[in-house]
Amino acid sequence: MRNNVRVTRTTTRAARLDQVCAAAVDVARAAITEVEPEGVGVHLDTIAEGDRLVTHLFECLLAGYRGWRWAVTVTRVARSKHVTVCETVLLPGADALLAPGWLPWHERLQPGDLGVGDLLPTAPDDERLAPGYLESDDPAVEEVSWELGLGRPRVLSREGRADAGQRWYEGEHGPEAPISVAAPRTARCGSCGFYLPLAGAMRLLFGACANVYAPDDGRVVSADHGCGAHSETLTDVPPTPVDELPTVYDDSEVEAVPVHVTTGPVTAAGPVAEGEPAEPYGHS
C-alpha cells in the first residue's frame, strides 16, 4: 500500500491443454454426424478453450467448402477419464471462401437498379436534401411560393448539387465522353442554339439538349460537352466547289442533213419500184 492507494494486478492465465481431452480425437471425429465419414478429413489442430475443455479441428471435404473446418469441443468432469462432446460446428478457416459481408439495402443500391413499379423511399436525414421553406398561413404567400418553386417540402442541398454535378460532369454527358471528344473543338453545347440552361446554381455549367437529332436530346449535358449536331457546325465550313463537267450535247455543233421525202415504201437502196413485191418483215 502506497499513499493509502492499493494497486491490484490481475493476470490472465492461459488455458492449459487437458491431455485426456486432447487424446480424444476419435471421440471428436465420431461426433460429426451431419455428413458421411467421407466428408471429414484429417485432424488439423487441438485448441485449449479452458480447464478440461478442448476443441478438435478436422478438415472439411465437402464440395464448395474449401478452407472450412469441423470444430468439435469436448470436455470431462474433474477426476474423470470419460470425455463427452459439448458441440459440433463447421467454421471457416483463414483461406475459406466466404460470402461478402452483409450491407443494408440502401448501401447496396446502384444507379439504374430502380425498375418500373419500384418504390425508393428517401431517408428523412438524407444530406442531399434540405428543407424547402417554412410554410406560411397566408394563401397569397403560399401561391407565390409555389410559383417560385418553393412549394416542395425539400430541395437539393449544397451537397446534393455538388454530388449531382460531379456525377453528370464525369459521366456520358460531360466533356470527356467519346462523342464529345470526337466532336469539333468549337462544337460545344454552351454555344449551341439547342442548349437550354438549367435554373439556379446549376445554370453555370449544365443545361438540357433540345436537338431532336442529337444523341443527348432531352438529357442534361455540361456546357463544354459537344457533338456533331451543333447548331453552328456548318457555318465555319467553306462551300465545296462543284467540278465543271464537259458538255455532253451542244446544239451549236449539230450539222443539218437534207432529207429527200419520197412516196411509197422506202428501202436502204431506195424506193420500191411499182409492181415489185414488198420485202417480207417476218410477221403477218
Side-chain angles (χ1 to χ4, degrees):
M1 181 179 296
R2 182 179 300 174
N3 297 331
N4 296 328
V5 176
R6 176 176 297 179
V7 178
T8 303
R9 296 180 180 179
T10 59
T11 58
T12 303
R13 181 176 60 89
R16 185 177 59 180
L17 183 64
D18 185 82
Q19 297 301 321
V20 177
C21 292
V25 176
D26 294 337
V27 176
R29 182 185 293 273
I32 306 175
T33 59
E34 291 87 347
V35 296
E36 298 295 331
E38 294 77 11
V40 183
V42 299
H43 184 263
L44 298 176
D45 197 5
T46 302
I47 302 174
E49 303 287 358
D51 292 338
R52 299 181 299 278
L53 189 65
V54 175
T55 297
H56 293 274
L57 300 178
F58 299 89
E59 181 185 10
C60 178
L61 301 180
L62 296 177
Y65 285 85
R66 178 180 58 83
W68 288 67
R69 304 171 298 181
W70 292 104
V72 182
T73 303
V74 298
T75 188
R76 69 181 180 91
V77 297
R79 295 183 296 276
S80 174
K81 301 296 183 180
H82 180 68
V83 177
T84 59
V85 177
C86 295
E87 64 177 355
T88 302
V89 66
L90 184 62
L91 298 176
D95 57 343
L97 180 63
L98 300 176
W102 182 84
L103 290 175
W105 67 267
H106 61 275
E107 296 183 16
R108 300 194 306 267
L109 194 65
Q110 298 295 323
D113 287 349
L114 190 67
V116 178
D118 294 340
L119 298 178
L120 179 60
T122 303
D125 57 349
D126 194 321
E127 63 177 7
R128 299 172 300 172
L129 298 174
Y133 78 110
L134 297 178
E135 186 176 3
S136 171
D137 57 356
D138 189 342
V141 173
E142 291 299 307
E143 183 177 356
V144 174
S145 299
W146 182 263
E147 290 295 331
L148 295 178
L150 301 177
R152 295 171 292 170
R154 290 188 291 177
V155 295
L156 275 177
S157 63
R158 183 185 298 271
E159 291 79 6
R161 292 193 300 270
D163 179 68
Q166 190 71 24
R167 186 173 64 253
W168 294 346
Y169 198 78
E170 295 177 354
E172 298 180 357
H173 313 296
E176 300 301 326
I179 191 172
S180 178
V181 175
R185 296 178 60 87
T186 57
R188 302 296 99 181
C189 293
S191 60
C192 180
F194 299 103
Y195 179 76
L196 299 175
L198 296 184
M202 306 294 277
R203 179 187 183 91
L204 300 177
L205 189 57
F206 296 102
C209 177
N211 189 345
V212 66
Y213 299 110
D216 296 314
D217 179 41
R219 295 179 173 88
V220 174
V221 294
S222 65
D224 51 356
H225 181 69
C227 73
H230 193 278
S231 63
E232 313 304 322
T233 297
L234 299 180
T235 57
D236 298 333
V237 179
T240 303
V242 179
D243 296 335
E244 183 178 356
L245 300 177
T247 303
V248 177
Y249 180 79
D250 190 352
D251 293 345
S252 62
E253 297 183 359
V254 176
E255 181 180 0
V257 178
V259 178
H260 299 284
V261 180
T262 59
T263 60
V266 179
T267 63
V272 179
E274 294 183 3
E276 184 177 348
E279 295 182 3
Y281 290 98
H283 58 82
S284 58

PDB file of all heavy atoms in Angstrom, residues 186-203:
ATOM      1  N   THR A 186     -14.927  23.513 -81.561  1.00  0.00           N
ATOM      2  CA  THR A 186     -15.857  24.639 -81.444  1.00  0.00           C
ATOM      3  C   THR A 186     -17.297  24.189 -81.234  1.00  0.00           C
ATOM      4  O   THR A 186     -18.160  25.024 -80.939  1.00  0.00           O
ATOM      5  CB  THR A 186     -15.777  25.504 -82.704  1.00  0.00           C
ATOM      6  OG1 THR A 186     -16.068  24.687 -83.855  1.00  0.00           O
ATOM      7  CG2 THR A 186     -14.393  26.110 -82.859  1.00  0.00           C
ATOM      8  N   ALA A 187     -17.567  22.897 -81.378  1.00  0.00           N
ATOM      9  CA  ALA A 187     -18.940  22.387 -81.250  1.00  0.00           C
ATOM     10  C   ALA A 187     -19.218  22.036 -79.796  1.00  0.00           C
ATOM     11  O   ALA A 187     -19.337  20.868 -79.432  1.00  0.00           O
ATOM     12  CB  ALA A 187     -19.144  21.185 -82.161  1.00  0.00           C
ATOM     13  N   ARG A 188     -19.326  23.053 -78.940  1.00  0.00           N
ATOM     14  CA  ARG A 188     -19.614  22.858 -77.525  1.00  0.00           C
ATOM     15  C   ARG A 188     -21.056  23.249 -77.240  1.00  0.00           C
ATOM     16  O   ARG A 188     -21.609  24.183 -77.846  1.00  0.00           O
ATOM     17  CB  ARG A 188     -18.684  23.682 -76.655  1.00  0.00           C
ATOM     18  CG  ARG A 188     -17.204  23.412 -76.845  1.00  0.00           C
ATOM     19  CD  ARG A 188     -16.809  21.988 -76.448  1.00  0.00           C
ATOM     20  NE  ARG A 188     -16.699  21.095 -77.586  1.00  0.00           N
ATOM     21  CZ  ARG A 188     -16.384  19.817 -77.487  1.00  0.00           C
ATOM     22  NH1 ARG A 188     -16.186  19.270 -76.310  1.00  0.00           N
ATOM     23  NH2 ARG A 188     -16.298  19.071 -78.566  1.00  0.00           N
ATOM     24  N   CYS A 189     -21.678  22.551 -76.291  1.00  0.00           N
ATOM     25  CA  CYS A 189     -23.100  22.756 -76.025  1.00  0.00           C
ATOM     26  C   CYS A 189     -23.406  24.177 -75.549  1.00  0.00           C
ATOM     27  O   CYS A 189     -24.486  24.709 -75.817  1.00  0.00           O
ATOM     28  CB  CYS A 189     -23.582  21.750 -74.981  1.00  0.00           C
ATOM     29  SG  CYS A 189     -23.561  20.038 -75.551  1.00  0.00           S
ATOM     30  N   GLY A 190     -22.472  24.801 -74.830  1.00  0.00           N
ATOM     31  CA  GLY A 190     -22.734  26.132 -74.316  1.00  0.00           C
ATOM     32  C   GLY A 190     -22.963  27.169 -75.391  1.00  0.00           C
ATOM     33  O   GLY A 190     -23.601  28.201 -75.142  1.00  0.00           O
ATOM     34  N   SER A 191     -22.466  26.941 -76.616  1.00  0.00           N
ATOM     35  CA  SER A 191     -22.662  27.876 -77.725  1.00  0.00           C
ATOM     36  C   SER A 191     -23.666  27.367 -78.740  1.00  0.00           C
ATOM     37  O   SER A 191     -23.786  27.936 -79.827  1.00  0.00           O
ATOM     38  CB  SER A 191     -21.319  28.139 -78.418  1.00  0.00           C
ATOM     39  OG  SER A 191     -20.772  26.921 -78.927  1.00  0.00           O
ATOM     40  N   CYS A 192     -24.391  26.308 -78.411  1.00  0.00           N
ATOM     41  CA  CYS A 192     -25.363  25.712 -79.341  1.00  0.00           C
ATOM     42  C   CYS A 192     -26.728  26.334 -79.133  1.00  0.00           C
ATOM     43  O   CYS A 192     -27.153  26.607 -78.000  1.00  0.00           O
ATOM     44  CB  CYS A 192     -25.419  24.198 -79.120  1.00  0.00           C
ATOM     45  SG  CYS A 192     -26.577  23.346 -80.221  1.00  0.00           S
ATOM     46  N   GLY A 193     -27.447  26.554 -80.219  1.00  0.00           N
ATOM     47  CA  GLY A 193     -28.776  27.140 -80.125  1.00  0.00           C
ATOM     48  C   GLY A 193     -29.805  26.215 -79.523  1.00  0.00           C
ATOM     49  O   GLY A 193     -30.874  26.668 -79.091  1.00  0.00           O
ATOM     50  N   PHE A 194     -29.521  24.913 -79.456  1.00  0.00           N
ATOM     51  CA  PHE A 194     -30.447  23.944 -78.879  1.00  0.00           C
ATOM     52  C   PHE A 194     -30.181  23.695 -77.394  1.00  0.00           C
ATOM     53  O   PHE A 194     -30.762  22.795 -76.814  1.00  0.00           O
ATOM     54  CB  PHE A 194     -30.352  22.613 -79.633  1.00  0.00           C
ATOM     55  CG  PHE A 194     -30.711  22.709 -81.079  1.00  0.00           C
ATOM     56  CD1 PHE A 194     -29.725  22.710 -82.055  1.00  0.00           C
ATOM     57  CD2 PHE A 194     -32.030  22.810 -81.478  1.00  0.00           C
ATOM     58  CE1 PHE A 194     -30.052  22.802 -83.395  1.00  0.00           C
ATOM     59  CE2 PHE A 194     -32.368  22.897 -82.810  1.00  0.00           C
ATOM     60  CZ  PHE A 194     -31.381  22.898 -83.785  1.00  0.00           C
ATOM     61  N   TYR A 195     -29.306  24.483 -76.792  1.00  0.00           N
ATOM     62  CA  TYR A 195     -28.915  24.304 -75.389  1.00  0.00           C
ATOM     63  C   TYR A 195     -29.831  25.116 -74.494  1.00  0.00           C
ATOM     64  O   TYR A 195     -29.952  26.340 -74.645  1.00  0.00           O
ATOM     65  CB  TYR A 195     -27.452  24.728 -75.223  1.00  0.00           C
ATOM     66  CG  TYR A 195     -26.905  24.615 -73.831  1.00  0.00           C
ATOM     67  CD1 TYR A 195     -26.558  23.376 -73.300  1.00  0.00           C
ATOM     68  CD2 TYR A 195     -26.697  25.754 -73.064  1.00  0.00           C
ATOM     69  CE1 TYR A 195     -26.020  23.279 -72.021  1.00  0.00           C
ATOM     70  CE2 TYR A 195     -26.148  25.664 -71.790  1.00  0.00           C
ATOM     71  CZ  TYR A 195     -25.824  24.426 -71.270  1.00  0.00           C
ATOM     72  OH  TYR A 195     -25.282  24.331 -70.012  1.00  0.00           O
ATOM     73  N   LEU A 196     -30.486  24.445 -73.531  1.00  0.00           N
ATOM     74  CA  LEU A 196     -31.387  25.114 -72.593  1.00  0.00           C
ATOM     75  C   LEU A 196     -30.741  25.093 -71.208  1.00  0.00           C
ATOM     76  O   LEU A 196     -30.713  24.049 -70.553  1.00  0.00           O
ATOM     77  CB  LEU A 196     -32.744  24.396 -72.544  1.00  0.00           C
ATOM     78  CG  LEU A 196     -33.521  24.342 -73.859  1.00  0.00           C
ATOM     79  CD1 LEU A 196     -34.773  23.495 -73.683  1.00  0.00           C
ATOM     80  CD2 LEU A 196     -33.892  25.740 -74.315  1.00  0.00           C
ATOM     81  N   PRO A 197     -30.209  26.204 -70.711  1.00  0.00           N
ATOM     82  CA  PRO A 197     -29.548  26.217 -69.400  1.00  0.00           C
ATOM     83  C   PRO A 197     -30.521  25.865 -68.282  1.00  0.00           C
ATOM     84  O   PRO A 197     -31.707  26.200 -68.328  1.00  0.00           O
ATOM     85  CB  PRO A 197     -29.041  27.654 -69.263  1.00  0.00           C
ATOM     86  CG  PRO A 197     -29.013  28.184 -70.667  1.00  0.00           C
ATOM     87  CD  PRO A 197     -30.134  27.510 -71.387  1.00  0.00           C
ATOM     88  N   LEU A 198     -29.999  25.178 -67.269  1.00  0.00           N
ATOM     89  CA  LEU A 198     -30.796  24.880 -66.092  1.00  0.00           C
ATOM     90  C   LEU A 198     -30.974  26.143 -65.258  1.00  0.00           C
ATOM     91  O   LEU A 198     -30.332  27.162 -65.486  1.00  0.00           O
ATOM     92  CB  LEU A 198     -30.123  23.783 -65.257  1.00  0.00           C
ATOM     93  CG  LEU A 198     -29.979  22.406 -65.911  1.00  0.00           C
ATOM     94  CD1 LEU A 198     -29.379  21.417 -64.919  1.00  0.00           C
ATOM     95  CD2 LEU A 198     -31.315  21.883 -66.420  1.00  0.00           C
ATOM     96  N   ALA A 199     -31.849  26.044 -64.263  1.00  0.00           N
ATOM     97  CA  ALA A 199     -32.081  27.174 -63.373  1.00  0.00           C
ATOM     98  C   ALA A 199     -31.191  27.066 -62.148  1.00  0.00           C
ATOM     99  O   ALA A 199     -30.625  26.015 -61.855  1.00  0.00           O
ATOM    100  CB  ALA A 199     -33.555  27.212 -62.956  1.00  0.00           C
ATOM    101  N   GLY A 200     -31.029  28.174 -61.450  1.00  0.00           N
ATOM    102  CA  GLY A 200     -30.310  28.178 -60.193  1.00  0.00           C
ATOM    103  C   GLY A 200     -28.807  28.058 -60.375  1.00  0.00           C
ATOM    104  O   GLY A 200     -28.232  28.441 -61.396  1.00  0.00           O
ATOM    105  N   ALA A 201     -28.158  27.503 -59.345  1.00  0.00           N
ATOM    106  CA  ALA A 201     -26.701  27.409 -59.350  1.00  0.00           C
ATOM    107  C   ALA A 201     -26.182  26.479 -60.434  1.00  0.00           C
ATOM    108  O   ALA A 201     -25.058  26.641 -60.909  1.00  0.00           O
ATOM    109  CB  ALA A 201     -26.212  26.935 -57.976  1.00  0.00           C
ATOM    110  N   MET A 202     -26.993  25.509 -60.873  1.00  0.00           N
ATOM    111  CA  MET A 202     -26.559  24.565 -61.906  1.00  0.00           C
ATOM    112  C   MET A 202     -26.531  25.209 -63.289  1.00  0.00           C
ATOM    113  O   MET A 202     -25.998  24.622 -64.235  1.00  0.00           O
ATOM    114  CB  MET A 202     -27.489  23.352 -61.919  1.00  0.00           C
ATOM    115  CG  MET A 202     -27.646  22.667 -60.579  1.00  0.00           C
ATOM    116  SD  MET A 202     -26.124  21.898 -60.011  1.00  0.00           S
ATOM    117  CE  MET A 202     -26.195  20.349 -60.882  1.00  0.00           C
ATOM    118  N   ARG A 203     -27.089  26.402 -63.415  1.00  0.00           N
ATOM    119  CA  ARG A 203     -27.159  27.072 -64.710  1.00  0.00           C
ATOM    120  C   ARG A 203     -25.774  27.396 -65.265  1.00  0.00           C
ATOM    121  O   ARG A 203     -25.586  27.457 -66.480  1.00  0.00           O
ATOM    122  CB  ARG A 203     -27.972  28.358 -64.561  1.00  0.00           C
ATOM    123  CG  ARG A 203     -28.111  29.184 -65.827  1.00  0.00           C
ATOM    124  CD  ARG A 203     -28.779  30.507 -65.547  1.00  0.00           C
ATOM    125  NE  ARG A 203     -28.969  31.274 -66.766  1.00  0.00           N
ATOM    126  CZ  ARG A 203     -30.052  31.221 -67.524  1.00  0.00           C
ATOM    127  NH1 ARG A 203     -31.068  30.451 -67.153  1.00  0.00           N
ATOM    128  NH2 ARG A 203     -30.160  31.941 -68.621  1.00  0.00           N
TER     129      ARG A 203
END
